[in-house]
Amino acid sequence: MKNAKINIEKDFKLAQVDNRIFSSFLEHLGRAIYTGIYEPGHPTADESGFRSDVIELIKELKITSVRYPGGNFLSGYDWKNGIGRKEDRPRCLDLAWKTIESNQFGINEFYDWSNKAGTSIIGAVNMGTGTPKDAGELVEYCNFPGGTYWSDLRAKNGHKDPMGIKLWCVGNEMDGEWQTCHLDADDYGKKALESAKIMKWIDDSIELVVCGSASTLQQTYPEWDRKVLEYTYDKVDYLSLHRYYENEGNDLDFLASFVDMDRFINTIAGTADYVKALKRSKKTINLSFDEWNVWYQRKQVPHDWMEAPEILEDRYTLLDALVFAGLGMTLVNHADRVKIACLAQLVNVIAPIFTEKNGRAIRQTIFYPFKYLSIYGRGTVLKPVNLTPAIETTYGETPLIYTSVVYDEILESVTIFCLNIDSNDDFLLNLNLRSFEKVSMIEHICLDGEPNITNTFSDPDQVKPRNLVAVKGVFNSCETIIPKLSWNILRFKIEKRSCDGNPP
Ligand code: AHR
């Protein structure tokens, strides 16, 4: 058994969590849309063909917003092919994933689906084959009240009222040479600026996310980010970050992925602030981490021109879920700058929800860390002082115990998320909560087990959190055991709060 200590002070506030960090992403890719969320004829499908078993699981995750329709798909997608009578919509080649796109699902269907799922939309405009004019027309189609060709066409297509999509991504990963019509930073910066101007002229209430680096592994990182912001700073609101991690053979390095993500966020925040200073601007550009997950990219196989094939259907292990938890906590720990984050993706494609065509839907292992962060990670993020042993990994010094602390001032509760990446030892964790005067422990939820186990259709609950015995009584400090290789949710109720030194 090893020892660690966390000192939590209620006045050491970092920032309020923006609930949009609990967002996700659906791309026209593999079975994410077709046989994922949309499957006419499925036993649970509603009159629109939306699978209600999948919607139920999405509701369990408390997803705030969903980014749509891509992804790499976006850069070759003509949104106009996805509207109007379904029988008239063209079947097209999707150059990004070498598949056939039937266009049976488009922006109108996505809008209806979002209303049923209780999520808002993060729209995206094509900066590859698409033009600034196409981008403006999509905003006009979705958001303009009426009396113009595109807004009246929306009404004719069954949506009289504007969709009111408030947040838009100006392209996707335009720094990636894999992107259809990839651009260099200068060309993208100019195109994004002109598109942003048109989009905001049409609807000045919208906010825009400009493409940042697709990964820290890009040769152009972080120069790309600086250059793009130098063009677009005044016209956009957020800069995007994308990052996926996979196990390259060393479990400990994989578990330390959160250290890399933390550094990435700090670097990009610094880059944005550099441009702020350069421009003598008063405006701060915040961050949209709109693609993050564990993804085994090396296992990817090509699929030639099939419709809704099984692409990127990673099956996650418990170890993947622990890494995923560390990444999610890092987003929470940057609540002051990261205002939007999208788990990529949502169904079937590198996803927490996995479906059978015409069959069941199950929770993958990564479902659970997202769910609990999304439920209990809302509130004010505190900055604890962690006294924990560290170890050297590929990312440098890495704490063995990693925490996030969220204070819900309305419900008068504190949640400590705690990851133990030590595969040999449990930790005796000493928690100092004295600034809250008196607390009681509501519950201790723990996700642990054999690192390689997964959830399957024949055994869907192999990986599932369990409840450990909570510390009894009312106290202001306590000790609790954090099992080896585990992710924990420690929930406390504030029994008596101090008030300027005079307890009520
Ligand atoms: O999420 C899968 C892919 O990863 C997306 O299409 C792309 O944006 C990223 O490279």
Side-chain angles (χ1 to χ4, degrees), residues 25 27 71-72 97 172-173 178 244 291 295 312 345 350:
F25 172 38
E27 176 168 2
N72 296 339
W97 300 103
N172 175 71
E173 295 190 350
W178 59 87
Y244 296 94
E291 288 189 34
W295 174 15
L312 277 58
Q345 296 194 7
I350 46 173

Side-chain angles (χ1 to χ4, degrees), residues 427-466:
F427 265 84
L428 182 66
L429 182 65
N430 185 308
L431 289 167
N432 174 359
L433 291 151
R434 285 192 191 101
S435 67
F436 291 102
E437 298 245 326
K438 295 266 188 290
V439 301
S440 61
M441 195 171 195
I442 303 167
E443 60 182 341
H444 180 169
I445 305 167
C446 178
L447 185 65
D448 64 348
E450 282 304 310
N452 290 325
I453 46 174
T454 59
N455 287 341
T456 59
F457 284 106
S458 51
D459 201 347
D461 292 325
Q462 277 207 96
V463 179
K464 201 178 173 182
R466 62 189 176 118

Side-chain angles (χ1 to χ4, degrees), residues 352-414:
I353 298 167
F354 197 63
T355 72
E356 284 174 322
K357 186 176 179 183
N358 205 30
R360 296 161 292 180
I362 58 169
R363 298 167 185 83
Q364 289 234 58
T365 61
I366 61 170
F367 186 96
Y368 294 105
F370 190 93
K371 170 178 167 172
Y372 286 105
L373 282 164
S374 178
I375 294 176
Y376 299 121
R378 296 170 194 240
T380 304
V381 178
L382 301 183
K383 293 184 281 184
V385 176
N386 292 327
L387 304 171
T388 170
I391 195 164
E392 203 57 24
T393 69
T394 187
Y395 299 118
E397 190 177 290
T398 303
L400 287 170
I401 291 283
Y402 181 53
T403 62
S404 299
V405 182
V406 182
Y407 175 23
D408 186 328
E409 296 179 59
I410 296 163
L411 292 180
E412 301 198 320
S413 65
V414 185

Side-chain angles (χ1 to χ4, degrees), residues 146-202:
T148 65
Y149 176 77
W150 292 109
S151 57
D152 287 349
L153 187 59
R154 179 195 68 235
K156 191 173 155 225
N157 288 339
H159 293 93
K160 188 170 177 306
D161 293 332
M163 295 178 182
I165 301 174
K166 292 293 172 207
L167 183 64
W168 294 84
C169 300
V170 187
N172 175 71
E173 295 190 350
M174 293 307 296
D175 59 328
E177 71 289 347
W178 59 87
Q179 209 65 217
T180 310
C181 297
H182 146 77
L183 298 171
D184 68 22
D186 292 297
D187 288 343
Y188 171 67
K190 289 176 202 163
K191 187 171 180 178
L193 171 65
E194 296 310 316
S195 304
K197 280 161 55 184
I198 291 175
M199 293 167 80
K200 285 197 171 176
W201 283 336
I202 294 167

